[in-house]
Amino acid sequence: MASISTAGEAVARIAYLSSDVVLSVQPALASDSDFSKHLHNYAAKRLPSLVAKDLPEVISVRYNVDPLLSAFQPLRSGKLVSVTTSSTTLLPSIPHLYKLAQYPIVLHVSLHTINYPDYSEITAIRQCGFTFLQSETLQETQDLALSAHALAIKSGKGVIHFFDPANSKDDAPIDIEDRELAAKILDVESPRAMQGTQDEGSFLYVDDGRRAATMTGGASSSHDGRSETEAVKKTASTGANKSPNREASSVGSSVRESSADSRPTVSSATSMESLTTRPVTSEDISEYLSAIWSQIEKLTGRRYQAFEYTGPEDAQSALFVFGSTGLFVDALGAADASEEFAKFGLVTARLYRPWIGPRLAEALPPSVRRIAVLEQIRRKTIKWGPVLLDILISLRGGSSATGAPQIVGHQLGYIEPATARQALRGIFQNLNSPKPIQNLEVGSREEPRPSLDQYNLAQPKVESAYMKILDQVFGERLYVANRLDAANAGISATIAASPEFGFGSLLARSDHRRRFIGEVKDAAATRDFTTDVPQSWLSKWAMHAEDPKHVNAIAPEIIARLSNDGSSLASTLLESKALFFKESHWLIGSDAWAYDLGNSGVHHVIASGANVNMLILDTQPWSERAAADAVRRKKDIGLYAMNFGNAYVASVAVYSSYTQVLEAMIEADEFNGPSVVVAYLPYNKEDDSPLTVLQETKKAVDLGYWPLYRWNPNNEDGGEPNFSLDSERIKQELEEFLRRDNHLTQLMNRHPRFAANLSESYGTEARALQKRKAKDAYNTLLESLYGAPMTILFASDNGNAESLAKRLGNRGKARGLKTMVMAMDDYPLEDLQTEENVILITSTAGQGEFPQNGRAFWDAVKDTTELDLSQIKYAVFALGDSHYWPRKEDKIYYNKPGKDLDARIAFLGGKKLADVGLGDDQDPDSYQTGYGEWEPKLWQALGVDKVEGLPEEPPPITNEDIKIQSNFLRGTIAEGLEDTSTGAISASDQQLTKFHGTYMQDDRDLRDERKAQGLEPAYAFMIRCRLNGGVATPSQWLQMDSVSSSYGNETMKLTTRQTFQFHGVVKSRLKSAMRGINKALMTTIAACGDVNRNVMLSPLPTRSAFHRDVHQVSAKISDHLLPSTSAYHEIWLKDNGSDAKQTKVAGDAVVDKEPLYGPTYLPRKFKITIAVPPHNDTDVYAHDIGLIAIKNANDNRLEGFNVLVGGGMGVTHNNKKTYPRTGSMLGYFPASKIHLVCEKVMLVQRDHGDRSNRKHARLKYTIDDMGVDIFRGKVEELLEAKFEQPRPFEFKSNIDTFGWQKDEEGLNHFLMFIENGRVEDTAEFPMKTGLREIAKVHKGDFRLTPNQHLCLSGVRDEDLDTIKGMLKKYKLDNLHFSALRLSSSACVAFPTCGLAMAESERYLPELITKLEKCLEENGMRQDSIVMRMTGCPNGCARPWLAEVAFVGKAYGAYNMYLGGGYHGQRLNKLYRSSIGEEEILGIMKGLLRRWAVEREGGERFGDFVIRVGVVKETMEGKAFHEDVAEEEGEE
């Protein structure tokens, strides 16, 4: 049988088994308490409860956020609640305890600190109305925890069970509780009457008259005065009829101290059938508890009483210990008969409140004449200890024969085990002396060593972002009054961190500075300095002492002058040198300040009008907002402060807008008065990853839960609006505030693009209403049709299931059926049982999951027990891939959504029209093969299979159709941009805008939440620039920086295409962003689409002249292959209403032409790159055309190129007809004609590429279908020239060379590491700001590298120190990264890429961090391994050439590839399919250790894994899927 070894585990098990809700109060969400680890373990294992209807809910709460407030809502909902906590939470919770005492709640309290707990935290709350039980041994802890829950259920009153965990740490393990025994003790049927009942109480601090009550006549009540019978359920004690009704306890309890009777009591005074209710008394508690303990004794033989006595029956002296008893028990047990204290008896209280005095007298032997009372109370507030007074009152009469025993109080301090016997001797001697000393201290008042107390205030690492920004903005001026590491003599860290203490500290600081100003003025008038210099400087300073700009500018100079002066007066002033600055005063707080108990201090600061800045962090995740108490637990501090009218207020979120955080902090500092900056930083645990915090922030900001705004009441004076909205949505409470002062109307007028969002209150979108309207609209449409109805519901991620559903609907209409087609999540589920024929079509997402627009539908169908589908007929078709999950154990995921749906509908009574159809991507025609077999069966079942005269179906619209109908890439883009009803554009325009350099995307982090709110996806656009060779001027860099900040998401992406990319550009800003890019003499035309894209080039920092030669060629190629359409200029650059000349014929047709491309352009995208040996940093083998630059042997200038063709990276998972390919060599050609070579290669692809199947349309397939020799011949035929034999070359690397390098012309170049190309500002790394400042002074250029890094090029020697200083200032010179990290690369993937299946850019850095320890252990930190990650198999980061690659398969699952060439010359091979992080780390760590030990010489990792047989070498693209390490098995 399993055993328990700690008191915390024993209590956690009982609390979990006996509760509906367990509040686990923890020192931090990421740090376990004595109980939390066990509780979360039980919850994870779904351990069943004894009383909960479902599984118990375990809620983690930080100890300093008023945790007991979280108990009110579940208690009022009729749930059994327990709390596991340390004693540190008790005193701050006193205002709640009096009210909670009237509910059946159990608080399990572990006394702290661990080595020497303070029992004063128990005695201080003894009159709060709770029942108090104390346990000492491990077995007692288990039994009394169970007793506490049984008593709470029986009495309807709160119970506090407290214990010292150290007291039982050496106890032998005990068996886990007997569930049958526990069920009997709890009387598990008793809670049923109270569970689910609702309490109408709505106030937290006002006494609403609720009292736990019982019935007269012997029947006990349920909580709230509700009887277990239906009659007494109607007599709930709500306090409606209030009358004093103090019950005298027949057991003589101390009225003064009695828990139950310490306050006036109220009953409902309602009777029914002679039964009346009255408040539960001390006598009731005693009786209930005696009955519970009698039951335990009967079942286990273990006996418990209110007071426990152990020792001789004829003892004359006894110890009553209210503290840690373990040492005394051991010492008394080990004492021999000669010891003077050997005949001591030992008394402890099991029931501390209510204090039943007569029970104490009954427990003591009559022979006891002297009692030593030991109280372990470290914070003594009265002369006589509370337990001493209890005992004095209880025993003052004594027996008639012997009289009252002599009682002597002692203060119990910390006692070392070795001195326990000595302490007992001292107690004995004092007790038996003629004049014993009262309150004698026994032991030390302080521990001899510090306790490792978990419950110390500490700033979680994740919260450091805002502190770092404050440090960056204010530097030496920053003064945080309540900084956690500040030394405050005699003040606890908890008090020092409070707003009240911090405010007082700031007032004192301000007074100090005022005195200091006077001292400076006096000093300026004296002659006590060594020289006359300080006087003049001090005079200047004193004149402007309150002007921050002036004094902060000259303060460093004054400090330097005084330091040089050396006089005693100068030294005196320098003791307060920080005051020469006009400091920025801040208080830092958490959302604990937003709870009612902490808010009073915030109120004082705001109401004072003092010039104090408060930064208050709110860490509650958006996903938890629905679980917030109905009674507002937290105040909206921003709204609270704005209502005062005298405070600057800002609501910010660093993971949403770094710039807005900076603006808010600067404005708060400049505001002369109180400032409140409420800062959002949501996390579930303090060690959550930045990715988790980012995702939670985005949800909260996007949906209006956390609006970004700034409120400056001084703006009115300057005619500016007080309120500035920095995000698009606001919540209802803020909207109401703005409406009150007409600010909302002004805001909507100022920001018309926000009007639609602002006019709808946050949270009012009625999703159910939308579903109903859509369904009703369909019904209206179908009323005029004849035939049987057919409802088609689809769930689709990539559009295939949706297309099938719509096609099926059209075919049904053609057969006379009334068809309705809807997404599953758009359908009102309650109507399903009223349908006649239902067809369900679903694809498979992730690990056998439903697509996003079907998950809510499936969750409802899966969980419902009330849906009767016996009247419907149905059929299911599923789309999946039988080889997607190659391992046998994963085959269950193949078409799992469809199979599960089919089984569930059948279980709910549905009748099948046809067996579930399974579409398989592995079939010859993909899912169409299975669908072609399934659809005829459906028509046959519906009786419409023999309909004649069916119309011929139009072929599906393809990309080729869209291009040819687009009028040279115009389409309806211009009209779509003007449509303000949606953030999207039409599907055909989405294909066309790619040619213009922009993709429509949506934020996938927000999809589910926005859908739940009834909102369309958060559509935005990605813009990619066309940047020839990756070279930009400083002015262009500044303009790109401005575009990203003004129109995008405040970041730039340096892509693997060696150009700038912007994300988060909403449709209304798209044209402005395009114009901003063109303003920098840059363009986006042909950066995407079925055309030649950006021409890439090695950055070549050490060979500037050669770089110029090659860059000129790349520019020539790029310009030569540029599309000729004027659509780009018309749509993006021409002003509306412009008179720009256009030649029109036949009405409105614009005359345009594409001499190279023709009206349908290319079959697929086309990419060209140039590499310069020995650096293959452009991955020259991976592109449609790869040009290898060959230099002239005589002058080292460019001579020509070796030409590679047919490289390409795009693949479809498990579709072996698709594969990556490295380029094939055509030969050498001179540089002067190379642009014509590129043209002719492109033309052959234009004319011979596959336009019927886009998965087979790239040049690589054209060449493999045609053969390299035939392809070369066709190119030579167009060129009218032959390729020469390729010139020799050698590649040594395809990674970047970081650091400073000097070229042959004496210019300096610095290649810096930009992880995955993301240029942004964070609290830790203000990269974007640093590069912007450098661009303002840099005289050379910026070269983007194909590996997503940046080369600062052309720095002259005279500018070197300046640039180096700026690089250091902004941490851009940091290259102290592992070689693995420097060699890594990732695509964007989530949240913006619509094709992503898994994380990439946001996850790869975390994965590398977890691998770096293994590298260091094996001495390989500086050993380069090319590692790449992509979120899908399309290959944007060119993963198939990497030595190690991870390609997203599903969220959290990746295919792992090994064996690529370090020089980028060889494809890798599949090693493992669909593995998660744990497997990745296990595999990689094993391989890295092997590589460290077994590699030969300088053997690269990719070569090593092939040599030792981990994977086979991939000789060519067509062999990519052959001989993989993990065969894809059959189902």
Side-chain angles (χ1 to χ4, degrees), residues 102 155 520 541 825 837 948 1085 1187 1244 1273 1441 1521:
Q102 305 305 321
S155 67
V520 171
W541 183 90
D825 281 0
N837 301 302
E948 297 181 356
I1085 181 69
L1187 302 177
V1244 175
L1441 294 171
H1521 298 290

Side-chain angles (χ1 to χ4, degrees), residues 36-48:
S36 58
K37 179 181 179 180
H38 308 293
L39 289 169
H40 293 304
N41 184 38
Y42 306 148
K45 292 181 178 179
R46 302 180 67 82
L47 186 71

